[in-house]
């Protein structure tokens, strides 16, 4: 007998290890009840993943569960908020028990890691779509925003760039790399680790912040627009993983990916130069690489130069410029 909506909720979503004190009433009633801590503002984000659009058909159910929550956690990290609870709107073609088991495990593992609780949702039938709304807390006035950068601020990114985009090419069988590199790049695509601790640590240090979901060029572009400034960055300063370096050595045609490729869920933020040393110390303390990639400038737009100061232009095909110059 097919599982009813009630069975699905009971079996897969109503058993959670984590019970937060601020959740007065979770799954089971007409609405959840939350007791927000005094002196905190609510930060709320929602993201929808559609099969075939936001993840390839055939992606492991565990990874879908993990990533659906991770992308929202990344948004809250960018706001310097501490994530607390979420709701899940799940649309399924059919109630496949093996799929639901893996999906709910991936979701629950990410939730436990992040300290967030599932408090409600909605289950419907249709093309596979996962929509998660996540809320968290930030002390009044301390949220980071896309606006706020000043001329001369240094531009920083966490972690490494381009890994997930290369991982996607591997998943789509458009790129072949060594086994260890392949495993690493696919992991970066399928199991992003949102920069929760970093976002919170940047309160009072960063002047603006955004998470990199659509690629550095696009997301830093949003930050620039919100801050009504421009950015000058250096291509060679972009932090690359060993796996990405090997892949790009093999396939130089993909050298635009660290700047244009999405899905890395790293943070890009600005801070005054006086914070440089403390940010390097913070990187050590959090065991989270932080790299300065450029500075905020008056002139609007994102300007990317090579190490010789030559401007690089990006068409949809990637670097115009890089054809055979180095
Ligand atoms: P209603 O019809 O009143 O909206 P539902 O029957 O849709 O209630 O849901 C019953 C309870 O189960 C609610 O508390 C709802 O939040 C929760 N719920 C439904 N679907 C999910 C899901 N996919 N994940 C978590 N909780 C869910
Ligand atoms: Mg109701």
């Amino acid at each position: 007998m097919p599982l009813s909506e009630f069975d699905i909720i009971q079996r897969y979503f109503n058993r959670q290890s984590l019970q937060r004190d601020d959740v007065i009433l979770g799954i089971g009633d007409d609405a959840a009840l939350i007791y927000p801590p005094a002196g905190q503002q609510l930060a709320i984000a929602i993201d929808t993943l559609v099969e075939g659009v936001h993840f390839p058909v055939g992606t492991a159910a565990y990874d879908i569960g993990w990533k659906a929550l991770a992308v929202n956690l990344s948004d809250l990290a960018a706001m310097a908020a501490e994530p607390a609870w979420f709701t899940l709107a799940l649309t399924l073609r059919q109630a496949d028990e093996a799929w639901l088991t893996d999906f709910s495990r991936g979701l629950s593992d990410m939730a436990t890691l992040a300290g967030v609780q599932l408090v409600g949702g909605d289950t419907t039938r249709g093309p596979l779509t996962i929509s998660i709304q996540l809320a968290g807390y930030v002390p009044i006035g301390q949220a980071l925003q896309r606006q706020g950068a000043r001329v001369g601020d240094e531009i920083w990114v966490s972690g490494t760039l381009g890994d997930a985009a290369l991982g996607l090419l591997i998943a789509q069988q458009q790129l072949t790399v060594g086994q260890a590199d392949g495993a690493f790049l696919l992991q970066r695509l399928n199991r992003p680790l949102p920069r929760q601790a970093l976002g919170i640590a940047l309160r009072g240090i960063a002047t603006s912040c955004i998470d990199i979901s659509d690629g550095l060029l696009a997301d830093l572009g949003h930050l620039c627009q919100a801050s009504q400034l421009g950015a000058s960055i250096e291509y060679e300063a972009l932090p690359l993983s060993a796996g990405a370096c090997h892949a790009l050595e093999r396939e130089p045609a993909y050298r635009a990916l660290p700047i244009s490729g999405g899905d890395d869920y790293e943070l890009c933020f600005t801070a005054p130069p006086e914070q440089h040393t403390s940010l390097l110390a913070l990187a050590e303390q959090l065991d989270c690489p932080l790299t300065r990639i450029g500075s905020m400038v008056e002139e609007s737009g994102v300007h990317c130069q090579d190490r010789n100061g030559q401007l690089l232009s990006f068409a949809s095909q990637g670097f115009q410029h890089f054809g055979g110059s180095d």
Side-chain angles (χ1 to χ4, degrees):
M1 217 183 72
L3 289 180
S4 70
E5 182 191 335
F6 179 80
D7 294 333
I8 293 176
I9 298 161
Q10 282 306 318
R11 250 185 240 181
Y12 300 104
F13 301 114
N14 204 8
R15 290 190 207 135
Q16 295 180 81
S17 42
L18 197 107
Q19 302 285 335
R20 292 178 53 97
D21 292 342
D22 53 338
V23 176
I24 309 304
L25 188 61
I27 294 172
D29 216 306
D30 287 315
L33 290 175
I34 307 293
Y35 200 113
Q40 307 268 325
Q41 291 175 327
L42 273 183
I44 303 174
I46 185 165
D47 255 316
T48 299
L49 302 187
V50 180
E51 182 182 46
V53 179
H54 302 97
F55 57 89
V57 176
T59 299
Y62 183 99
D63 294 341
I64 299 170
W66 176 285
K67 191 164 176 174
L69 182 55
V71 300
N72 283 286
L73 289 162
S74 179
D75 281 324
L76 256 63
M79 301 296 288
E82 191 183 326
W85 36 269
F86 65 104
T87 54
L88 165 69
L90 184 59
T91 305
L92 300 168
R93 284 191 196 279
Q94 71 273 325
D96 175 336
E97 297 192 39
W99 191 92
L100 277 162
T101 301
D102 289 349
F103 172 82
S104 60
R105 278 200 188 125
L107 185 71
S108 153
D109 285 352
M110 180 82 270
T112 306
L113 201 66
V116 297
Q117 185 177 340
L118 177 61
V119 298
D122 193 25
T123 309
T124 51
R125 196 176 288 269
L128 181 59
T129 306
I130 302 101
S131 194
I132 286 182
Q133 183 170 49
L134 173 68
Y137 305 119
V138 58
I140 292 170
Q142 287 194 43
L144 295 175
Q145 297 181 41
R146 297 174 177 192
Q147 63 163 26
R150 292 178 294 234
V151 172
D153 277 357
E154 295 181 333
I155 302 167
W156 295 78
V157 292
S158 64
T160 53
L161 300 178
D163 297 328
L166 289 163
L168 182 61
L169 288 173
I170 295 169
Q172 294 171 333
Q173 289 164 359
Q174 293 176 46
L175 174 68
T176 321
V177 298
Q179 208 189 347
D181 290 337
F184 170 80
L185 296 170
L186 281 168
Q187 177 90 359
R188 289 277 287 156
L189 173 69
N190 291 322
R191 306 262 180 98
L193 281 165
R195 297 294 187 180
Q196 204 171 314
L198 174 63
I200 291 169
L202 290 175
R203 289 175 188 164
I205 297 177
T207 48
S208 69
C209 188
I210 190 166
D211 73 315
I212 306 178
S213 50
D214 297 335
L216 177 69
L217 196 62
D219 291 316
L220 179 54
H222 296 317
L223 184 151
C224 286
Q225 221 163 19
S227 295
Q228 295 184 294
L229 292 175
S232 171
I233 59 173
E234 188 186 311
Y235 180 79
E236 283 83 1
L238 302 181
L240 301 187
S241 65
C245 285
H246 299 157
L248 295 181
E249 276 161 22
R250 231 183 238 211
E251 294 290 346
Y254 293 132
R255 270 185 299 177
L257 287 187
I259 196 160
S260 63
D263 262 10
D264 283 320
Y265 301 101
E266 295 295 346
L267 295 185
C268 174
F269 59 93
T270 59
E274 305 88 84
Q275 297 286 1
H276 192 99
T277 324
S278 40
L279 282 166
L280 294 178
L282 184 66
E284 287 276 314
Q285 191 193 320
L286 296 179
D287 196 20
C288 166
L290 294 179
T291 308
R292 188 213 155 181
I293 60 165
S295 293
M296 295 302 290
V297 297
E298 204 80 63
E299 191 195 343
S300 66
V302 178
H303 314 280
C304 186
Q305 300 166 13
D306 67 12
R307 68 165 80 79
N308 303 316
Q310 206 179 355
L311 218 54
L312 304 172
S313 68
F314 306 89
S316 52
Q317 299 306 311
F319 285 159
Q320 295 291 306
H321 211 80
F322 263 101
S325 58
D326 71 3

